[in-house]
Amino acid sequence: MPATVIVGLQWGDEGKGKTTDFLAEDVTAVVRYQGGDNAGHTIMLGEEVFKLHLVPSGVLYPHITPIIGNGVVVNPATLISEIEMLSARGIATDRIRVSKHAHVIMPYHIALDGAMEARLASAAVGTTRRGIGPAYADRAWRIGIRMEDLLDGAALRGKLARILPEKNATLQRQHRVDGFDLDELVALAVGWGRRLENHLADTTQLVQERMARGEHLLFEGAQGTLLDLDHGSYPFVTSSNPIAGGACTGGGIGPLQVTEVLGVMKAYATRVGAGPFPTELTDEIGEGIIDRGREFGTTTGRRRRVGWFDAVPLRYAVAVNSVSSIMLNKIDILSGLDEVLICMAYEVDGKRIDWWPSDADVLARAKPIYERFPGWKEPIHGCRSMSDLPENARRYVDAVERLSGAQICLVSVGPERNQTIERLPRLQRPTTASALGSAATRAGSEATAER
Ligand code: GDP
Ligand code: IMO
Ligand code: MG
């Protein structure tokens, strides 16, 4: 009963969508465990491009059950339009399951996100303005609306009647923007509930029953370790825990049920939004990487900031996620460079640091200490084995692997499923007696989990 967690090791956009899609063939369900429609996961199938924000990336395989776990914050309008987009393109969507306990991003969360960013001005986080922070804040404050609340209009009206006056007061008096009308919000939310009712389920029960049946499940993270609320460079982070541990709180598995943590990273660094970025490139090398790598946000269309590969947070990310194997994406984008640099450590106030400080002020003062590697000129999109790669590209992969302390098992040389080199077998932790899941055997039938 294997469970694989797919986790971003950098600032998001590492290619988790491609990785999930590549691995999904062998699993029965893919579970998103945190984040919301701030995520943008791109999958390319021939000429077809799918950009997914909420629906797990396994949806393109007909045999997969895509599950949105309790740790995700759901904007129902985005979910409905994504379901409709997939249906219109011939993808079966009835099988999509959404946790009854997932929190709803309400219109006032989106308004508050935008208003707060505007107020922070030069200190803004550069959020996606999707209402992620305010929705998670209300969850922690125990005044959130959950997906199941959308099914009971009267109870929902009662909850909103208690919450809305304060939200409106903040929006109108502090931020000088429009508030929301209770009747309109209730009507909107009840409409969402009606549309999504058949998709709602106790997803933890679904996950545990499948684990008990010995099925292989994938848990798809959004964002990345360096945007983690606890482990990233706070406050320039998102409001959830993208790290592998988030799969337990937000996906419905226990820590000992996880048999594999596949860390996803790309061969250079990118970041969207504000915050320190020690290896950032603002020269023509960076421009070239942005152009070749099409580094524009999937969700907001913003130009991503790019930089050299940074091994300092990599070691940290491998440790806090218990990474068992790595998939290295987008190495093809480095073709054509005379040399390729890797940041080995930082110099901060005259001292060498090789442990990720996460403190945004310290990071802002960090000067990268680089090691230089000879580049390679050849395009490598057609390579299907390590021996097809130019020697300098192989050396680069070896160097990154040495620095990470985990095995690079998969190397991606293009956005398509088949543009993937299987370099080494992935490591799986053997399941333990406790992982055999007494909880699962106690769980009821899958039918009772649905709604
Ligand atoms: P995610 O948020 O981690 O899923 O990543 P995004 O989808 O936001 O961004 C990754 C982009 O790189 C997508 O457009 C992918 O199609 C593309 N991609 C993934 N792997 C590779 C690769 O190895 N080479 C190239 N050229 N593109 C890739
Ligand atoms: P995927 O899953 C890259 C960034 C935003 C901002 C910060 C906080 O596609 O890798 P938020 O809207 O979450 O409150 O914004 O986090 N961010 C991402 N950056 N990829 C993502 O998702 C991101 N989701 C949020 O740009 O800096
Ligand atoms: Mg993305």
Side-chain angles (χ1 to χ4, degrees):
M1 41 171 300
T4 299
V5 179
I6 292 178
V7 61
L9 299 183
Q10 294 160 312
W11 278 285
D13 302 326
E14 299 90 346
K16 297 175 294 295
K18 161 158 181 176
T19 301
T20 306
D21 175 71
F22 178 75
L23 297 181
E25 192 168 2
D26 300 330
V27 308
T28 63
V30 179
V31 186
R32 264 282 303 272
Y33 59 84
Q34 46 68 237
D37 60 346
N38 50 349
H41 296 184
T42 315
I43 302 161
M44 278 187 66
L45 279 187
E47 294 300 296
E48 291 235 60
V49 181
F50 291 87
K51 292 177 186 287
L52 300 170
H53 302 287
L54 278 168
V55 175
S57 299
V59 71
L60 302 187
Y61 291 95
H63 71 277
I64 297 272
T65 303
I67 297 176
I68 296 175
N70 60 281
V72 175
V73 283
V74 178
N75 179 334
T78 309
L79 180 57
I80 292 165
S81 68
E82 209 161 291
I83 288 174
E84 281 166 6
M85 176 273 289
L86 288 165
S87 298
R89 294 172 74 177
I91 311 282
T93 51
D94 291 355
R95 59 208 158 104
I96 294 170
R97 290 289 167 268
V98 185
S99 170
K100 295 189 290 189
H101 299 154
H103 278 247
V104 179
I105 298 179
M106 297 295 290
Y108 49 78
H109 292 133
I110 298 169
L112 285 165
D113 192 358
M116 185 55 100
E117 283 285 279
R119 164 163 302 189
L120 286 171
S122 64
V125 174
T127 73
T128 58
R129 298 187 177 223
R130 293 294 191 272
I132 306 296
Y136 276 118
D138 278 0
R139 180 177 84 150
W141 209 6
R142 301 172 300 260
I143 54 165
I145 303 293
R146 308 208 293 184
M147 290 302 289
E148 62 191 356
D149 294 328
L150 304 181
L151 303 179
D152 182 344
L156 179 66
R157 173 177 289 276
K159 285 188 183 174
L160 283 175
R162 285 189 290 276
I163 299 163
L164 200 56
E166 195 171 312
K167 299 294 178 197
N168 278 344
T170 308
L171 285 167
Q172 290 162 337
R173 289 198 213 130
Q174 286 183 30
H175 297 292
R176 309 261 168 232
V177 296
D178 291 341
F180 292 88
D181 177 72
L182 177 64
D183 291 335
E184 285 177 21
L185 269 194
V186 173
L188 180 70
V190 167
W192 288 336
R194 250 185 252 121
R195 174 66 182 83
L196 293 171
E197 183 170 9
N198 291 336
H199 295 281
L200 298 193
D202 179 338
T203 54
T204 300
Q205 192 177 354
L206 291 184
V207 163
Q208 288 299 333
E209 283 170 355
R210 284 168 177 272
M211 297 288 291
R213 288 205 294 266
E215 296 180 20
H216 186 173
L217 269 56
L218 270 191
F219 293 81
E220 179 185 11
Q223 291 82 52
T225 305
L226 308 183
L227 287 172
D228 186 279
L229 182 56
D230 291 273
H231 295 283
S233 48
Y234 190 91
F236 301 103
V237 294
T238 192
S239 300
S240 66
N241 289 112
I243 59 161
C248 296
T249 52
I253 40 164
L256 291 182
Q257 290 180 305
V258 176
T259 53
E260 177 185 22
V261 178
L262 189 88
V264 185
M265 62 194 193
K266 50 190 171 188
Y268 49 93
T270 64
R271 177 162 206 178
V272 206
F277 185 3
T279 65
E280 183 164 12
L281 281 166
T282 49
D283 57 7
E284 69 282 359
I285 296 179
E287 293 290 332
I289 294 176
I290 291 174
D291 284 350
R292 290 192 301 279
R294 300 197 191 137
E295 294 296 351
F296 294 90
T298 313
T299 299
T300 57
R302 286 180 293 177
R303 201 167 182 278
R304 295 174 182 152
R305 300 155 70 193
V306 301
W308 292 120
F309 190 87
D310 192 344
V312 181
L314 173 62
R315 287 187 281 265
Y316 184 90
V318 166
V320 297
N321 288 299
S322 304
V323 168
S324 50
S325 307
I326 290 176
M327 177 155 179
L328 178 65
N329 288 334
K330 291 191 119 167
I331 186 161
D332 53 301
I333 303 303
L334 298 182
S335 284
L337 296 173
D338 294 329
E339 55 175 10
V340 187
L341 276 59
I342 297 181
C343 172
M344 300 294 186
Y346 302 144
E347 190 197 303
V348 182
D349 305 332
K351 288 202 193 85
R352 186 185 165 103
I353 289 189
D354 49 20
W355 180 251
W356 168 248
S358 80
D359 182 314
D361 293 334
V362 177
L363 274 173
R365 299 200 304 281
K367 294 193 191 72
I369 300 171
Y370 287 117
E371 195 169 315
R372 311 176 97 86
F373 294 81
W376 59 93
K377 295 289 176 188
E378 312 79 321
I380 57 174
H381 299 105
C383 297
R384 293 293 176 271
S385 73
M386 287 309 284
S387 56
D388 293 343
L389 285 181
E391 191 183 348
N392 286 346
R394 276 202 305 274
R395 282 202 190 136
Y396 184 73
V397 175
D398 291 344
V400 172
E401 180 178 70
R402 249 191 334 272
L403 290 164
S404 71
Q407 287 190 342
I408 296 180
C409 294
L410 298 164
V411 177
S412 171
V413 292
E416 302 257 1
R417 239 179 232 170
N418 68 351
Q419 291 178 306
T420 307
I421 299 172
E422 302 199 44
R423 180 172 180 258
L424 290 169
R426 282 147 52 207
L427 294 176
Q428 293 272 347
R429 188 177 65 77
T431 50
T432 63
S434 49
L436 285 173
S438 53
T441 46
R442 282 199 303 273
S445 72
E446 188 155 308
T448 63
E450 311 267 336
R451 292 192 293 284

